[in-house]
DNA sequence: GGAGAATGTTGTCATGGACTACAAAGTAGT
DNA sequence: ACTACTTTGTAGTCCATGACAACATTCTCC
């Protein structure tokens, strides 16, 4: 018998996506450990066991969030680069700013992304992470081709800059420095990187 | 009636410290969310409600762990600096290495330290954090006094380096780069910092 | 339109945090 | 050393939540 008391039919129709939406909001507002499947179910208007059809356990939902997070990050980076013109330093600054911005505006999500990623068996997440990381790698290669960066393994070249960006996000999220300083710090870090990694004349 | 079946008298005698010890071990081995008060109680040989006398709730125990963590960090930094001789670059490298080492060898604890610290009302933790942070600040001031670093607000000067160290730890803990690279990355970061922050001639 | 797959629901268990009432041991004042 | 008070531990309970099983409804495709 169909439920007439509520508007929703027996099948939700889009429960998986609805749960992920709600989860992302709760994650942002109250952090991972305040995220409960039963609460998500209640908010979404389904029974407490319904989420199980889409996510075998809590971790599976967190993994899905992480995977989606990498896709969002990829989009953010692509869009920043698309609007950055052709000048290499400008492209580097744009990507760095976009990354750090994402990292501070989605602090809990980013943390989840990295902790989920390095759990054994998280192949889907690792796969999803390749897109944004590949983008950054390609940017370094581009800098090398244009003679703005030293030659060598792009990953090794970029890692200190990436670490610095990650660190800037980390100390902002940890309230060690004020969020307003973010973009200034990023610019300083990128400039220092560009100077320190210039090819020898 | 005293309990004769076990060696322990009714009062444990050192329960608070015993719980913290066990907690630190569990934190290291299995992460924060696997840390349960009831399990700690069982391991310590007391009833499930005993921890409550020393820690009103789970968060209070985590806070105590974080506070102790800052003290450990302070000790690690002091000891590194004590063995570092007088040369400023060497002292900077020593402190940077010690920090990053602590951060990678106590990953879960460090995360706890920062997340606990920026929770409203965590005055004790903020207080405990001042010791190691003050040490790093003093190091920068020393570098300035010796003419090895630009003048200016020491906090602002040091922040990019600190961010980089934090980021190196972060990407190692997140399995983005291999742990063996740690000390090399730190040296590179410090050298870059020293070059980039030299006073103008 | 009927069979089987998807998707939801109800009911249950185990774990673990939080709380209360009570018990034992320590401590201090007389 | 007796008593009153404090500290520390115990036993029992409640509640939230994740995990699971058994059953119900709807969808889909032949």
């Amino acid at each position: 018998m169909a439920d007439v008391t509520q508007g929703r039919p027996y099948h939700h129709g889009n429960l998986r996506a609805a749960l992920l939406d709600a989860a992302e909001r709760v994650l942002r507002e109250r952090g991972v450990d305040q995220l409960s499947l039963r609460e998500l179910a209640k908010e979404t208007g389904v029974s407490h066991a319904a989420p199980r059809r889409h996510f075998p356990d809590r971790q599976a939902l967190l993994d899905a969030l992480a995977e989606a997070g990498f896709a969002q990050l990829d989009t953010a980076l692509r869009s920043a680069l698309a609007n950055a013109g052709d000048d290499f330093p400008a492209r580097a600054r744009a990507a760095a700013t976009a990354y750090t911005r994402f990292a501070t505006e989605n602090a809990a999500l980013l943390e989840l992304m990295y902790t989920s990623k390095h759990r054994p068996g998280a192949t889907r997440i690792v796969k999803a992470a390749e897109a944004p990381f590949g983008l950054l790698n390609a940017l370094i290669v581009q800098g090398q081709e244009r003679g703005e960066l030293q030659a060598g393994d792009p990953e090794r070249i970029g890692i200190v800059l990436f670490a610095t960006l990650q660190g800037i996000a980390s100390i902002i999220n940890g309230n060690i420095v004020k969020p307003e300083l973010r973009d200034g710090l990023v610019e300083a870090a990128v400039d220092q990187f560009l100077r320190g990694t210039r090819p020898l004349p």
Side-chain angles (χ1 to χ4, degrees), chain A:
Chain A
M1 173 173 38
D3 183 6
V4 193
T5 63
Q6 295 229 353
R8 184 176 70 74
Y10 189 88
H11 284 110
H12 179 286
N14 207 12
L15 184 53
R16 190 190 147 93
L19 288 171
L20 285 176
D21 272 9
E24 197 177 323
R25 191 173 40 68
V26 172
L27 182 64
R28 179 183 313 280
E29 290 171 2
R30 288 182 294 157
V32 216
D33 32 298
Q34 290 304 308
L35 193 158
S36 117
L37 291 180
R38 286 175 106 108
E39 189 198 327
L40 293 182
K42 187 177 289 185
E43 279 186 23
T44 317
V46 294
S47 77
H48 62 95
R52 206 173 142 66
R53 293 289 171 206
H54 303 275
F55 307 101
D57 57 17
R58 195 182 113 105
Q59 189 56 55
L61 183 141
L62 296 183
D63 283 0
L65 276 180
E67 195 184 331
F70 278 113
Q72 288 173 238
L73 173 59
D74 188 55
T75 302
L77 290 178
R78 274 178 207 284
S79 128
L81 283 173
N83 296 328
D86 204 55
D87 179 48
F88 176 73
R91 292 179 72 76
R93 267 190 291 272
T97 302
Y99 179 84
T100 321
R101 186 174 172 134
F102 182 91
T104 52
E105 290 177 353
N106 303 275
L109 178 59
L110 192 81
E111 190 186 314
L112 183 62
M113 284 158 61
Y114 287 128
T115 60
S116 299
K117 174 168 174 290
H118 88 276
R119 230 201 19 272
T123 41
R124 291 188 56 108
I125 303 179
V126 170
K127 196 91 182 169
E130 280 168 14
F133 285 178
L135 210 57
L136 295 178
N137 211 63
L139 185 64
I140 300 287
V141 171
Q142 187 180 55
Q144 292 175 321
E145 286 169 356
R146 297 192 182 177
E148 309 238 18
L149 295 179
Q150 291 168 15
D153 176 16
E155 189 158 331
R156 207 188 56 72
I157 302 271
I159 201 81
V160 172
L161 174 60
F162 181 68
T164 305
L165 299 181
Q166 187 71 25
I168 290 172
S170 174
I171 62 182
I172 287 175
N173 292 338
N175 264 21
I176 296 175
V177 306
K178 291 193 291 275
E180 304 88 78
L181 298 180
R182 185 190 60 200
D183 291 357
L185 286 171
V186 170
E187 298 244 333
V190 172
D191 289 350
Q192 192 177 43
F193 169 74
L194 291 174
R195 278 203 314 275
T197 321
R198 253 196 304 248
L200 305 173

